[in-house]
Amino acid sequence: MSRVSTGPSTNPTTAHALLRRLHDYGVRTVFGVVGREAASILFDEVDGIDFVLTRHEFTAGVAADVLARISGRPQACWATLGPGMTNLSTGVATSVLDRSPVIALAAQSESHDIFPNDTHQCLDSVAVMGPMTKYAVELKRPDDVTDLVDSAVAAAMTEPVGPSFISLPVDLLSSEIDISLPHPEARVPAKPLGTVEDGWQDAARKATELLRAAKHPVLVVGAAAIRSGAVPAIRALAERLNIPVITTYIAKGVLPHGHELNYGAVTGYMDGILSFPALESLFGPTDVIVTLGYDYAEDLRPSMWQRGGEKTTIRLSPTANPVPRVYRPDVDVVTDVLALVEYLDSHTADVAAKSPHDITPLRNRIAEFLADPRQYDDGMRVHQVIDSMNTVMAETAEAGEGTIVSDIGFFRHYGVLFARADQPFGFLTSAGCSSFGYGIPAAIGAQLARPGQPTFLIAGDGGFHSNSADLETMARLNLPIVTVVVNNDTNGLIELYQNLGHNRSHDPAVKFTGVDFTALARANGVEAIRATTREELLAALRKGTGLQRPFLIEVPVNYDFQAGGFGALSI
């Protein structure tokens, strides 16, 4: 027998309880696309929660992911049953591989009609989402919904942080329930809960002695260090001991862009892009590598730091080592990153400052790229585009503010190398999942998380157009995001891999016909312009930052890549 309400009711329902509990946990926005469950939930049942309608469920998932990453608190996304849920799943995959506490919600068929693969639009949602979430469950009894949200948040906020999923049968969603029943306080921890190994101080003492004796140590920092609240302590330790800091893609900004100890972020493409032994410059002279909140999913592989002489490695993390086959640290300290950094700081108070190894040739090579004055007949170069973005970001953002977001493609690795980041998560990209189309929703999430700060988005034509419908969402929300589409009518990263494997490319697999992205933007309510030179791009960026509404710049580009220099990509 169906338990769907036979008519409108003003009495509290499961939908009320669901939204009220999300609100208790600080959720103020639900991103998503609604289907026929609209008969059961309007998303106005609770004051203080806004529903942000997106054009695609993937956008909803990534926007929630980035808002959660920056805020450090759970955020929510919604999809309808069946294909809505499967569309959302890539956003959920993004939040598990990029480590964000997302509460993903999806409608399901009526509780009496859940026959996966037989009922219209009915799939086994929990089975689909389970392998890529921290917690996945289907509501069986309406009164349980508050408890399920509690469990979802607890799982999502435990290191490694990630998404939780709740499947909600549409009839149970509209069931009347008593929302006055008492429940425990909804408490979000100040930072994610991590593993603390008993006796971690013994390992910490070994780490301290290695650091004391090191001649050229480096700190390799991942995003878990940011989540732990350790950034000020890391900076203090690095500055007192004069230790360089190297980061993963998404930990850029731990030290400001121009800090003398900021040795940059690492990408396996850097040697090939620069035609320079960058990895050797960064890691060759080092003797002790201290990884703080290191995460293999962030795509800095241990093989990349094994340059030069023999090294001692120290792993400091709030989780047990999940990849001992590829990362075998000499010392493994499993505890809160902030607690460990404070331990190192207090136990090295008498240690003299180190002598950082010199990376002047690498910095000169990077400066040479960014200063490139040439005007190319076949389109600008991406390093010129990013230098222009850096220039205008520096002019526009207050100290320690501003966000540059990168979609996925070959240009992204130029962003890892060259884009300025003056705050944690000041450069945003998807290091773990790296799905085409990440850029627009990530920029939406970043701008909502940091209103009043400038947000720049760089995207390639391939990834951008895979999710370009949500330009309309950006316009509807009137978010002042300046988007730069670098367009070569090609999936450039795939063309690189073709050349790496075959010393030639095959156009049918990588080439597109032209798209007028300025016309596309205008069709979606976004003002747009085309820029073909540095001067035109700088003028366009300055115009865009002054508009306080969405603005798009299309820039024809081309790449000068050789098939050599990418050996670090080998696994």
Side-chain angles (χ1 to χ4, degrees):
M1 171 180 173
S2 173
R3 284 173 280 178
V4 172
S5 302
T6 57
S9 172
T10 58
N11 295 326
T13 66
T14 306
H16 289 81
L18 170 70
L19 294 175
R20 187 178 74 165
R21 199 56 168 173
L22 289 173
H23 188 275
D24 290 344
Y25 279 108
V27 174
R28 298 294 180 264
T29 305
V30 178
F31 302 91
V33 182
V34 186
R36 67 179 179 86
E37 70 278 5
S40 301
I41 184 169
L42 283 172
F43 291 96
D44 67 353
E45 287 84 353
V46 172
D47 290 337
I49 289 187
D50 294 324
F51 188 87
V52 173
L53 175 65
T54 60
R55 289 284 180 165
H56 196 281
E57 295 85 352
F58 172 63
T59 296
V62 172
D65 163 273
V66 169
L67 185 55
R69 187 190 308 183
I70 294 174
S71 69
R73 300 182 64 84
Q75 304 294 339
C77 54
W78 181 277
T80 192
L81 60 159
M85 178 274 300
T86 58
N87 283 347
L88 185 66
S89 66
T90 306
V92 172
T94 300
S95 64
V96 73
L97 282 166
D98 290 337
R99 316 302 191 212
S100 293
V102 169
I103 309 302
L105 308 161
Q108 178 57 291
S109 299
E110 287 78 2
S111 58
H112 61 277
D113 197 32
I114 299 176
F115 301 108
N117 302 343
D118 289 307
T119 299
H120 173 68
Q121 288 195 320
C122 183
L123 298 166
D124 189 340
S125 300
V126 172
V128 171
M129 292 289 196
M132 65 180 86
T133 56
K134 303 288 296 297
Y135 173 82
V137 67
E138 192 159 84
L139 181 67
K140 302 296 184 184
R141 299 181 303 177
D143 288 339
D144 291 344
V145 69
T146 296
D147 296 328
L148 298 190
V149 173
D150 290 349
S151 295
V153 170
M157 287 295 292
T158 301
E159 290 283 6
V161 299
S164 291
F165 173 72
I166 304 176
S167 172
L168 298 152
V170 293
D171 58 327
L172 303 190
L173 196 58
S174 60
S175 296
E176 295 182 7
I177 64 173
D178 183 359
I179 64 171
S180 67
L181 297 175
H183 290 281
E185 178 188 0
R187 189 180 68 85
V188 178
K191 62 185 180 182
L193 304 178
T195 301
V196 177
E197 186 177 11
D198 187 36
W200 65 267
Q201 293 88 347
D202 293 335
R205 279 191 286 273
K206 296 178 183 177
T208 302
E209 291 308 310
L210 290 171
L211 187 58
R212 294 173 69 92
K215 183 178 180 182
H216 294 306
V218 296
L219 306 180
V220 174
V221 182
I226 300 174
R227 294 193 295 268
S228 76
V231 171
I234 290 171
R235 180 169 182 170
L237 178 67
E239 290 177 342
R240 186 174 61 77
L241 292 180
N242 213 26
I243 301 176
V245 172
I246 296 171
T247 72
T248 61
Y249 298 179
I250 60 175
K252 275 172 69 82
V254 167
L255 293 185
H257 183 71
H259 198 290
E260 65 178 357
L261 293 173
N262 180 3
Y263 277 27
V266 170
T267 165
Y269 296 81
M270 61 198 311
D271 286 13
I273 289 171
L274 295 170
S275 297
F276 186 88
L279 290 170
E280 176 67 32
S281 298
L282 290 174
F283 295 114
T286 64
D287 54 350
V288 172
I289 293 176
V290 184
T291 63
L292 297 169
Y294 171 78
D295 190 333
Y296 188 62
E298 292 173 37
D299 207 27
L300 197 173
R301 301 179 189 134
S303 59
M304 295 178 187
W305 66 59
Q306 295 300 335
R307 298 293 193 279
E310 186 175 346
K311 305 176 196 316
T312 300
T313 55
I314 303 168
R315 178 183 178 272
L316 315 174
S317 177
T319 63
N321 185 3
V323 288
R325 282 198 304 158
V326 293
Y327 184 20
R328 299 175 180 175
D330 296 284
V331 178
D332 194 1
V333 191
V334 181
T335 192
D336 177 66
V337 176
L338 175 57
L340 195 283
V341 174
E342 290 176 338
Y343 181 99
L344 290 177
D345 191 50
S346 65
H347 286 73
T348 58
D350 60 334
V351 175
K354 306 292 181 177
S355 298
H357 61 287
D358 184 21
I359 62 165
T360 299
L362 172 59
R363 284 176 163 161
N364 290 342
R365 181 61 172 160
I366 289 173
E368 179 185 351
F369 262 71
L370 292 177
D372 182 1
R374 286 171 289 181
Q375 185 164 331
Y376 298 87
D377 293 335
D378 57 350
M380 288 182 68
R381 297 304 185 253
V382 174
H383 52 269
Q384 296 175 316
V385 174
I386 293 175
D387 183 58
S388 300
M389 295 172 71
N390 286 344
T391 297
V392 179
M393 180 63 78
E395 295 171 354
T396 307
E398 298 293 330
E401 294 188 353
T403 310
I404 295 179
V405 179
S406 175
D407 206 319
I408 309 307
F410 192 25
F411 63 89
R412 187 261 293 270
H413 299 281
Y414 288 73
V416 174
L417 280 174
F418 303 133
R420 66 181 297 121
D422 286 330
Q423 63 178 326
F425 302 136
F427 175 78
L428 288 169
T429 190
S430 176
C433 190
S434 293
S435 175
F436 257 15
Y438 172 87
I440 288 178
I444 289 172
Q447 188 61 56
L448 290 174
R450 292 168 172 161
Q453 295 189 30
T455 299
F456 290 175
L457 164 62
I458 183 169
D461 55 284
F464 182 79
H465 206 25
S466 74
N467 200 24
S468 58
D470 273 292
L471 271 174
E472 187 275 333
T473 304
M474 190 188 295
R476 180 170 14 102
L477 299 176
N478 197 33
L479 298 176
I481 297 165
V482 179
T483 298
V484 179
V485 179
V486 288
N487 185 7
N488 65 343
D489 294 325
T490 305
N491 278 342
L493 184 61
I494 310 309
E495 185 178 32
L496 169 64
Y497 274 100
Q498 288 179 335
N499 279 271
L500 291 178
H502 308 281
N503 292 311
R504 62 186 179 90
S505 60
H506 180 55
D507 285 357
V510 294
K511 293 290 184 182
F512 299 107
T513 55
V515 173
D516 185 341
F517 288 104
T518 62
L520 176 71
R522 295 186 196 106
N524 283 277
V526 175
E527 186 177 346
I529 196 170
R530 198 166 188 261
T532 60
T533 66
R534 270 186 182 268
E535 293 72 22
E536 291 176 353
L537 178 56
L538 285 167
L541 287 164
R542 289 170 178 138
K543 176 182 178 179
T545 57
L547 290 175
Q548 292 305 301
R549 61 178 183 270
F551 187 69
L552 182 142
I553 308 163
E554 180 181 356
V555 182
V557 299
N558 222 317
Y559 292 102
D560 297 319
F561 63 75
Q562 306 292 328
F566 296 95
L569 300 177
S570 299
I571 299 174

